[in-house]
Amino acid sequence: MIMVLRRWFIPSDQLEEFRERWRVEIKPELERQPGCIRIEIYESSIRGHWVTSVLWRDEDSRMRALQQLSGLYNAFRQYERFEAEVLTLRPEQ
């Protein structure tokens, strides 16, 4: 499994719009992607920051979704802080 964490800074005057787009546009589109297992959004302890967590079945499904959703991602790229953190679950050895 692959987990992708992204940190976003949403200005307070745009927060309601972002929440609505997340709820009705972004999250449903992610959920439709093959290999998407779980999606969550967290309010950070850092003021104005939010963290999204998307769990994928494998790297192939994550990469296909990135290609499919590039337009949607580009619309929100301005709010992203730092590079996405990609965590890969490794089986115990």
Side-chain angles (χ1 to χ4, degrees):
M1 285 189 288
I2 308 290
M3 180 182 290
V4 180
L5 302 174
R6 293 185 187 276
R7 179 177 298 275
W8 309 89
F9 171 74
I10 312 299
S12 59
D13 64 326
Q14 296 175 8
L15 185 56
E16 285 308 313
E17 177 187 348
F18 179 83
R19 283 181 178 164
E20 185 65 11
R21 285 194 76 185
W22 172 264
R23 188 179 66 75
V24 300
E25 184 178 351
I26 302 167
K27 186 176 180 187
E29 191 62 39
L30 284 167
E31 290 172 329
R32 283 191 280 274
Q33 300 302 309
C36 181
I37 297 171
R38 186 175 180 168
I39 303 166
E40 298 174 313
I41 187 166
Y42 299 91
E43 184 174 3
S44 173
S45 61
I46 300 170
R47 186 177 176 169
H49 283 232
W50 297 80
V51 176
T52 55
S53 169
V54 182
L55 186 61
W56 299 98
R57 180 180 53 233
D58 55 29
E59 183 63 18
D60 289 337
S61 57
R62 181 179 87 88
M63 293 307 292
R64 280 193 303 275
L66 276 175
Q67 292 171 348
Q68 291 289 321
L69 302 174
S70 63
L72 186 60
Y73 171 70
N74 287 335
F76 290 93
R77 186 177 220 148
Q78 65 184 338
Y79 301 118
E80 190 171 22
R81 297 297 180 258
F82 313 112
E83 185 175 319
E85 184 172 0
V86 179
L87 307 173
T88 305
L89 181 63
R90 300 287 182 203
E92 292 188 32
Q93 304 279 336

